[in-house]
Each structure stands twice: as structure tokens, then as C-alpha cells.
């Protein structure tokens, strides 16, 4: 199996953070995954393309970067079935589907990262979540040393969440994701920016528009190193929301089916006066307050410090705790992102 020692991960994370991996493995088969399972590493991290990952220390734990490739397509009268290997690039996969006239995930174009990471936080954008089209996920479980299939229901998809981020976190590797796309397609264009598309709307139109909107709104990590939305949109109780709304009538809000209310993290950060805030090599993007930037050669700790500052300011003004969407990886493995604002 391909492996490196003392390997720089600077090119393997979209924050462009310099850190050294003591060991990094690139398994491409179940035999190689079994070999890794038998090593019983105390601390390790499964890395995709590193676009939702913050390496906090100058050293990383052992890294496992699954490198399975390939796409397989079958169909019946009603649906297309597509099996994609974890190391395929997500956006290339979206383009592959749309070019083959397989529709459903066009709204998720240009989300950086690998196909294998997409189910982990149930990536979503422009009114669609990847879990809407996942049939099952193949998971290599390190303790069982076997492949286990998780059905859509077993994946427990919800807002930026799944079983892979919760119970199964750090216990195995997603090798393949199986999609089911019904041949009867309904465009999702209710989201702001897409509703202006003139009918009849094709999936190609949606994909192009999403690409255009994302290029206008979000900084390209290759130009300004970042990991997309750094914080999740916070959920608050209805009572908490009502109190805030009295004070801030213009505050955007999204009522949820369970009675709670989702707030816009970017708006809270902007109101806290942090949009465009810069300190040393790090800062809050001047157009997108939800995006933290490494402008030059920041260390992971510089980003952690900035994230804490943002959380503290938002807490001070709104009494709302922001939780990171980005995964915090120390030398000892992942740390709870919710704890980053404390201490
Ligand atoms: C500019 C920008 C825009 C973004 N926009 C969006 C957006 O609109 N919507 C959205 O939801 N996200 C968005 N993101 C976040 C990011 O694109 C997604 O989280 C993506 O799925 C990360 O993929 P990755 O391969 O880079 O994952 P990584 O950062 O490498 O890993 C993320 C998590 O997945 C796990 N993981 C990765 N591969 C595997 C595997 N094969 N098996 C098991 N676990 C694995 C890792 O252990 C980690 O916990 C954005 C990021 C950037 C930089």
C-alpha cells in the first residue's frame, strides 16, 4: 500500500495549513484496509480532500486517505443506480451525472471535497441534501474488519449530520456511496438565486446557475484558503428566538418542524461587527462572514483563536453558541468542535 512518513499535509487541506503527518496511508482495497485495522492505531484520522478539516497542531495523527476510485452505473425502468467510490471528486461526480442525464444532485455542484465525505455531514446546498438521493453507504468497519452496508434510514441523515459523524466517527471508512435517482425528475429552484431561472428549467441550467452563484459568493480556496462555512447555523428554542426577534426585528430565521428556529450564523457574525475582521494572517471574509480565511501562512492555532473570538463575540451579543461545522484535528485526533469556544 502507498504510504509516506513525515508527510506535509499543506496541499491536502483547503485551509492550506502546514502540518506534518507522522504516517499517511493510501489504501485502495479491502485487504489494505484490513491491514490498517490490524495496526490498531491509538490516534488516526480519515482524510478525504481536507475541505472540511482544520489541522490544529503542527503534527497530525496518523492519516488514512482512502483512495478507492471508480463509478458504476445501472438502471431499470424507474431509476438510475450509481455506485461511486470514495476518492472520486464530488463536483466531477455531479458533472458526470448531469452529463449522463441523471438528475437530482445538480444543486450540489461545486461543493469541494470527495464523494466519500459527502454523506458524513450530509452535504447540502440550494435546497438539496445528498442524503435525499443516497440508497446505501458501504462502510469498512475497523473492529469487525468487514464491509457493512448502511441503508438510507440507517445513515440517520439530518442537517449537516449523519451516523458517520456521530456513532461511527473514527471507527471505519466509507468505501462507496450508492445513489438512486428516480427517472422522473423535479427541479428544485425555490432557493434564492434559482427561482429566477426561466422555464423550462433543465438540470444543466440549474448546475450552471449554482456554479455561477457559488463562484460569485464564495472565495475559491485555491485563491483564498478556507473551509467554506466555518460554523453551523445555530438552532434555538422558539422562546429564545422570540426574545431575540424583539431586539433584532430584521434577523433572518427559519422555523423547524420540531418547533425550534434556525438562525443564520453569518448574519450573527456580521452583526457582531466581525465581517472583514483581520488579525495577522487570518480573518473573516469581507463578503461572507461565515467563512474564515488563511490569508498567508497561518498556523492551525491561529484559526482556532479566531474561531474562539468569533464565538465569544456572538455569545456576548446574542447569547447564542456557534458550533463549528469544520472538523478540528489535533495530534491526538479529532476534538469536539463545540468545545473550541470554551477555555
Ligand atoms: C469553499 C467551500 C464551500 C463549501 N460549501 C459547502 C456547502 O455548500 N455545503 C456543504 O455541506 N459543505 C460545504 N463545504 C464543506 C465541504 O465541502 C464538505 O464537508 C465536503 O464533504 C468535505 O469533503 P472532503 O473530502 O474535503 O472531506 P474532509 O475534510 O477530508 O473530511 C471531512 C469529514 O469526512 C470524513 N471522511 C472523509 N472521507 C471519508 C471516508 N472515505 N470515510 C469516512 N469518513 C470520511 C473525515 O474523517 C471528516 O470527518 C464547503 C467547503 C469549502 C472549502
Amino acid at each position: 500500500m502507498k504510504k509516506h512518513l513525515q508527510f506535509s499535509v499543506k496541499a491536502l487541506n483547503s485551509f492550506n495549513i502546514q502540518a506534518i503527518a507522522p504516517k499517511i496511508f493510501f489504501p485502495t482495497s479491502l485487504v489494505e484496509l484490513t491491514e490498517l485495522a490490524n495496526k490498531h492505531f491509538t490516534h488516526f484520522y480519515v482524510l478525504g480532500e481536507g475541505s472540511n478539516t482544520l489541522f490544529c497542531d503542527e503534527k497530525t495523527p496518523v492519516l488514512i486517505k482512502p483512495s478507492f476510485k471508480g463509478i458504476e452505473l445501472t438502471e431499470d425502468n424507474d431509476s438510475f443506480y450509481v455506485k461511486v467510490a470514495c476518492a472520486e471528486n464530488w463536483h466531477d461526480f455531479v458533472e458526470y451525472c448531469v452529463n449522463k442525464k441523471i438528475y437530482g444532485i445538480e444543486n450540489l455542484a461545486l461543493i469541494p471535497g470527495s464523494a466519500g465525505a459527502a454523506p458524513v455531514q450530509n452535504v447540502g446546498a440550494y435546497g438539496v441534501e445528498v442524503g435525499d438521493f443516497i440508497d446505501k453507504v458501504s462502510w469498512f468497519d475497523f473492529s469487525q474488519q468487514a464491509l457493512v452496508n448502511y441503508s438510507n434510514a440507517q445513515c440517520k441523515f439530518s442537517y449537516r449530520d449523519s451516523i458517520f459523524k456521530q456513532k461511527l466517527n473514527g471507527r471505519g471508512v466509507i468505501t462507496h456511496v450508492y445513489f438512486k435517482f428516480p427517472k422522473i425528475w423535479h427541479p428544485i429552484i425555490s432557493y434564492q438565486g434559482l427561482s429566477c431561472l426561466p422555464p423550462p428549467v433543465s438540470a444543466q441550467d440549474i448546475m450552471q446557475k449554482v456554479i455561477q452563484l457559488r463562484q460569485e459568493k464564495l472565495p475559491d480556496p485555491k485563491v483564498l484558503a478556507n473551509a467554506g462555512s466555518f460554523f453551523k447555523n445555530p438552532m434555538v428554542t422558539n422562546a429564545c428566538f422570540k426574545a431575540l426577534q424583539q431586539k433584532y426585528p430584521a434577523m433572518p430565521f427559519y422555523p423547524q418542524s420540531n418547533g425550534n428556529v434556525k438562525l443564520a450564523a453569518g448574519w450573527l457574525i456580521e452583526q457582531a461587527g466581525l465581517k472583514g475582521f483581520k488579525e495577522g494572517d487570518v480573518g473573516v471574509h469581507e463578503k461572507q462572514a461565515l467563512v474564515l480565511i488563511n490569508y498567508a501562512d497561518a498556523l492551525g492555532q491561529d484559526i482556532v483563536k479566531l474561531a474562539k473570538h468569533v464565538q465569544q463575540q456572538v455569545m456576548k451579543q446574542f447569547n447564542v453558541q456557534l458550533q463549528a461545522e469544520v472538523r478540528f484535528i489535533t495530534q491526538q485526533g479529532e476534538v469536539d468542535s463545540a468545545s473550541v469556544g470554551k477555555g
Side-chain angles (χ1 to χ4, degrees):
M1 161 178 23
K2 197 173 141 202
K3 145 182 165 185
H4 292 292
L5 303 178
Q6 303 303 325
F7 189 79
S8 165
V9 296
K10 196 168 164 71
L12 298 187
N13 72 98
S14 64
F15 257 131
N16 207 21
I17 296 289
Q18 165 64 357
I20 298 293
K23 291 179 186 159
I24 180 167
F25 298 90
F26 299 85
T28 55
S29 67
L30 296 185
V31 172
E32 291 180 346
L33 284 176
T34 308
E35 217 180 287
L36 288 176
N38 281 321
K39 289 186 190 280
H40 303 291
F41 297 119
T42 332
H43 305 298
F44 70 92
Y45 179 65
V46 177
L47 181 66
E49 294 186 17
S51 41
N52 202 30
T53 296
L54 173 62
F55 291 115
C56 303
D57 296 337
E58 288 174 24
K59 286 194 173 160
T60 77
V62 168
L63 297 179
I64 297 175
K65 189 166 165 51
S67 302
F68 293 63
K69 297 282 264 187
I71 300 177
E72 289 169 37
L73 165 64
T74 54
E75 65 181 293
D76 60 20
N77 285 342
D78 304 322
S79 302
F80 292 106
Y81 301 88
V82 193
K83 173 186 177 187
V84 59
C86 60
E88 292 293 337
N89 174 265
W90 174 257
H91 175 70
D92 291 349
F93 176 62
V94 173
E95 278 194 325
Y96 167 92
C97 290
V98 173
N99 290 339
K100 294 253 179 221
K101 301 192 179 354
I102 300 170
Y103 304 142
I105 51 173
E106 52 283 345
N107 298 48
L108 303 180
L110 220 59
I111 295 182
S114 57
V120 175
Q121 73 153 359
N122 186 21
V123 294
Y126 294 96
V128 173
E129 288 182 333
V130 73
D132 300 344
F133 294 94
I134 288 178
D135 192 21
K136 63 181 180 187
V137 171
S138 272
W139 168 262
F140 181 84
D141 193 278
F142 283 133
S143 58
Q144 296 179 51
Q145 301 200 1
L147 211 52
V148 186
N149 281 328
Y150 282 84
S151 69
N152 183 296
Q154 289 171 321
C155 290
K156 299 198 166 128
F157 291 120
S158 61
Y159 169 66
R160 297 294 188 272
D161 207 6
S162 75
I163 192 168
F164 308 106
K165 204 170 163 180
Q166 301 296 336
K167 197 174 126 196
L168 295 179
N169 187 18
R171 293 173 52 181
V173 164
I174 291 170
T175 61
H176 296 87
V177 186
Y178 292 75
F179 287 86
K180 180 178 177 186
F181 298 103
K183 289 187 173 174
I184 296 176
W185 171 70
H186 302 285
I188 310 274
I189 51 168
S190 49
Y191 204 91
Q192 205 185 5
L194 299 183
S195 49
C196 60
L197 284 169
V201 178
S202 70
Q204 192 77 35
D205 294 338
I206 295 177
M207 185 171 79
Q208 291 312 330
K209 189 70 187 172
V210 167
I211 291 173
Q212 183 206 326
L213 289 168
R214 292 185 71 98
Q215 283 172 338
E216 282 167 11
K217 283 185 177 177
L218 287 169
D220 178 353
K222 290 193 187 87
V223 182
L224 279 182
N226 75 88
S229 302
F230 196 90
F231 299 100
K232 290 195 270 193
N233 288 323
M235 299 282 184
V236 297
T237 60
N238 194 42
C240 169
F241 162 69
K242 289 277 178 225
L244 281 170
Q245 197 190 32
Q246 265 201 334
K247 217 167 157 195
Y248 305 98
M251 183 175 70
F253 62 98
Y254 312 93
Q256 305 294 296
S257 51
N258 63 1
N260 288 341
V261 179
K262 189 157 86 179
L263 306 180
W267 187 89
L268 300 173
I269 298 169
E270 193 176 339
Q271 296 303 308
L274 291 168
K275 198 175 183 180
F277 172 86
K278 210 174 159 205
E279 195 168 69
D281 280 349
V282 298
V284 178
H285 191 247
E286 53 196 21
K287 288 196 202 140
Q288 273 293 335
L290 206 41
V291 177
L292 305 189
I293 306 279
N294 170 12
Y295 285 101
D297 292 316
L299 298 173
Q301 279 304 324
D302 299 329
I303 304 273
V304 171
K305 198 171 143 220
L306 174 64
K308 281 185 181 182
H309 179 64
V310 171
Q311 285 174 315
Q312 281 159 0
Q313 293 306 307
V314 168
M315 175 56 89
K316 200 163 119 192
Q317 183 161 344
F318 299 98
N319 199 26
V320 170
Q321 176 67 52
L322 289 183
Q323 291 193 358
E325 181 180 312
V326 170
R327 317 297 289 261
F328 285 69
I329 310 305
T330 69
Q331 198 174 343
Q332 275 72 44
E334 183 162 7
V335 292
D336 180 5
S337 57
S339 68
V340 75
K342 298 178 186 138

